[in-house]
Amino acid sequence: MSKQAVAGNTSARDTRYWVKAIIGLALIFGIQFIPAPAPITQPGMAVIGMFVGLIWMITAVDKVWPTFAVICLFSFYAFDIYPDSTASSPVYETVIQSFGNWIVLFIVTMLLLCEALQQVGLLRRMTLWFITRKVAQKGPWALTTMMLLATLVVGAIMDCTPTAMVMIVIAHEVFNAFGFKEGDEWPKMIIAAIPMTVTIAFGMTPIGHNLVIAVMDIVAAASGESINMVQYMLIGVPVGLILFAILILYFKYFVKPDTSKFNDVDFSGLRALKPGKMSAQEKIVAVVACAVLLFWLAPGVLGIVAPDSSILAFVNEMTMLYPVMAAIALLAFIHIDGKPILNMSEALNKISWTPTFMFASVVMIATALRQDTVGVIDWVDAYVAPAVSGFSPFVMVLVLAAITVAVTNFLNNTAVGMLFATACAPFALSVGVNPVIVAVVIALGSNLAYTTPAASFVATFSVTDPYCNGGYVLRHGIVMAVISVIVCGILCYPLGSMLF
């Protein structure tokens, strides 16, 4: 490519960037000047503008610097929104509501725990356990199922980014071992299906999944009813497993990628990928991670078997944040062979800080939207709730699933999930929908972002991989989005009604 062409492309990208950035800034700073329709207040209009503009910015421009632009504007309204604040400055109140939110620290600690699992090789061991089973050697679709099942299981208890990264790397190792090349259909399908499976897994459980936990927290705060992990998983896991099964059946019987190369494949080559014995570091990290998981699940189990026990009260008081903080401190404290199991300086350099900054601003605005001083919830109760009160709860859940999945495939799923949770939770009870079902539909639906990197970062792995391409992901992602709407809409309400 000539220098003139490169310069032209750069200039065009710069122009697009500035146009999109100006649109976002106009939304963030301009909507506050629109007269507020009662009962929404003028600070409420400012918060709405911040949210609309931030969604645009996160989706089309950047996920980090718009956070600071929003925080700067929010500071002018912080004392109007929180008149009982004890902070000495509205700027400090803004920091408390953004970076001071517990979910932000939870994200950092979860990313560090995931980094520990990756550093010691435990994450890779977990995935290879599935791929090196004898059942995976029975043919192309047995191997496909086991590869994607590994993705689903690991993704259900891990952050989405390291899960997708490790699985893509292992997939490339399998391609090389079997002699596949770029352009072959089976590798293309695998690379597209891995991020899709991760998105399904990410919505199945709240275990270490930031968006799901944020949605649960928002819905619980707005409805006044607590939602624990076990309650969520009783709906999320069955629905996720059905979506996973449909994903495999769709690719096998409708996409039908060419698998004829497997006729000459020696499946014994998979044995070379099998890891050796677990190291002491792996064992310690595994024990610590399992302890954190048990602590998280304890409230749901104890709430059923011992609802009045002092143990349940203690676990609830510790919250989900305490065990993961303790785990990070312990893994950094324990040294083997003169080195810490979790090297904090290395880990802090490796983890992505983007989710932390993004959540800080989105949580700040989502929390503000629930305040009486903003008036958004009163407006929803006055105008939206009566408009939908004539619909049955089943139809409402179906519509909510359809809108959530549709929007989240083209806009940032984090912002979409938290916006929908904030808007839909207040009147869930008033129209007869259990808030647990609302939380699951929104959290699961907003995670099912199959199609574009703008919607979910994990889609970047398939779109940019040399074995795959964006058009392939978009086509099959849209099909899976439609299927997901049907499955979530039909199953979530009846399943939730039977359980709760």
Side-chain angles (χ1 to χ4, degrees):
M1 184 180 293
S2 66
K3 291 183 178 180
Q4 291 82 358
V6 172
N9 289 338
T10 301
S11 177
R13 285 196 299 268
D14 287 345
T15 301
R16 288 194 297 269
Y17 168 81
W18 283 111
V19 169
K20 291 186 290 187
I22 290 171
I23 291 173
L25 291 172
L27 292 170
I28 291 173
F29 291 96
I31 291 180
Q32 62 180 313
F33 298 109
I34 298 176
I40 297 176
T41 64
Q42 211 57 44
M45 291 301 294
V47 174
I48 291 171
M50 294 178 218
F51 212 124
V52 173
L54 190 61
I55 290 177
W56 169 262
M57 287 289 207
I58 291 173
T59 302
V61 182
D62 191 270
K63 293 179 174 61
V64 176
W65 71 258
T67 288
F68 296 97
V70 166
I71 286 176
C72 287
L73 176 58
F74 192 94
S75 298
F76 286 97
Y77 291 96
F79 281 172
D80 294 323
I81 298 169
Y82 299 99
D84 297 327
S85 171
T86 58
S88 60
S89 165
V91 176
Y92 295 157
E93 179 63 33
T94 301
V95 173
I96 292 170
Q97 297 298 330
S98 55
F99 288 99
N101 190 289
W102 73 272
I103 292 178
V104 175
L105 181 56
F106 181 83
I107 293 171
V108 176
T109 52
M110 272 308 305
L111 291 173
L112 289 171
L113 184 58
C114 289
E115 181 60 27
L117 289 164
Q118 196 165 350
Q119 277 185 6
V120 300
L122 192 58
L123 182 55
R124 178 180 174 84
R125 178 181 294 277
M126 291 166 62
T127 56
L128 288 177
W129 186 90
F130 288 88
I131 298 173
T132 55
R133 299 301 93 192
K134 288 185 179 179
V135 67
Q137 303 177 24
K138 295 185 178 295
W141 287 104
L143 177 59
T144 298
T145 301
M146 292 303 286
M147 289 181 69
L148 296 181
L149 182 60
T151 307
L152 186 77
V153 172
V154 175
I157 58 175
M158 290 286 297
D159 185 69
C160 60
T161 301
T163 301
M165 287 176 61
V166 170
M167 283 307 307
I168 293 290
V169 169
I170 291 175
H172 281 211
E173 293 181 25
V174 173
F175 301 158
N176 293 333
F178 290 168
F180 284 101
K181 298 177 181 174
E182 296 176 16
D184 290 341
E185 292 186 20
W186 184 79
K188 183 187 294 184
M189 178 205 70
I190 290 292
I191 295 300
I194 285 174
M196 291 182 184
T197 304
V198 169
T199 62
I200 294 173
F202 207 59
M204 284 173 57
T205 78
I207 301 172
H209 297 162
N210 306 318
L211 176 55
V212 179
I213 290 173
V215 169
M216 289 172 57
D217 185 62
I218 291 171
V219 174
S223 65
E225 294 195 11
S226 62
I227 303 171
N228 60 56
M229 286 192 174
V230 173
Q231 286 179 310
Y232 182 96
M233 290 166 63
L234 286 173
I235 305 175
V237 170
V239 173
L241 290 174
I242 291 172
L243 287 174
F244 173 70
I246 291 174
L247 175 70
I248 294 178
L249 293 174
Y250 167 72
F251 276 109
K252 182 176 182 179
Y253 293 106
F254 291 90
V255 180
K256 297 179 181 178
D258 181 14
T259 58
S260 59
K261 282 195 174 184
F262 278 95
N263 297 332
D264 302 319
V265 162
D266 181 7
F267 280 94
S268 62
L270 289 175
R271 298 189 195 124
L273 300 176
K274 191 173 183 179
K277 293 182 179 181
M278 289 183 70
S279 65
Q281 290 90 334
E282 284 184 89
K283 293 176 182 178
I284 293 173
V285 173
V287 170
V288 171
C290 287
V292 172
L293 176 58
L294 291 174
F295 202 104
W296 283 342
L297 296 177
V301 176
L302 291 172
I304 297 172
V305 301
D308 300 320
S309 68
S310 58
I311 299 177
L312 175 58
F314 171 77
V315 171
N316 284 332
E317 187 177 347
M318 291 298 99
T319 73
M320 287 187 292
L321 183 57
Y322 187 87
V324 69
M325 287 195 302
I328 297 305
L330 184 61
L331 293 176
F333 168 74
I334 299 175
H335 280 56
I336 295 179
D337 298 328
K339 297 179 180 179
I341 293 178
L342 176 61
N343 188 315
M344 290 293 291
S345 60
E346 291 183 4
L348 289 170
N349 285 327
K350 288 182 179 179
I351 65 173
S352 172
W353 289 94
T354 299
T356 305
F357 289 104
M358 185 171 62
F359 261 89
S361 55
V362 174
V363 168
M364 177 189 71
I365 297 174
T367 304
L369 287 170
R370 299 200 303 266
Q371 306 306 310
D372 294 337
T373 52
V374 167
V376 171
I377 300 304
D378 292 336
W379 186 87
V380 170
D381 288 340
Y383 297 102
V384 179
V388 300
S389 60
F391 295 100
S392 69
F394 174 79
V395 172
M396 285 192 60
V397 170
L398 179 62
V399 172
L400 179 59
I403 296 174
T404 305
V405 175
V407 174
T408 202
N409 270 277
F410 298 96
L411 297 177
N412 180 265
N413 65 331
T414 298
V416 168
M418 297 181 72
L419 172 62
F420 277 40
T422 302
C424 298
F427 62 94
L429 291 175
S430 64
V431 295
V433 181
N434 190 307
V436 177
I437 301 175
V438 171
V440 174
V441 171
I442 295 173
L444 186 56
S446 59
N447 272 297
L448 299 176
Y450 302 107
T451 55
T452 64
S456 175
F457 179 74
V458 292
T460 306
F461 291 103
S462 53
V463 170
T464 60
D465 193 278
Y467 285 93
C468 197
N469 60 73
Y472 186 90
V473 173
L474 181 62
R475 289 195 304 275
H476 301 302
I478 289 175
V479 173
M480 280 305 302
V482 173
I483 293 172
S484 297
V485 167
I486 297 171
V487 172
C488 292
I490 291 177
L491 294 182
C492 284
Y493 183 77
L495 189 57
S497 299
M498 288 189 296
L499 293 169
F500 309 109

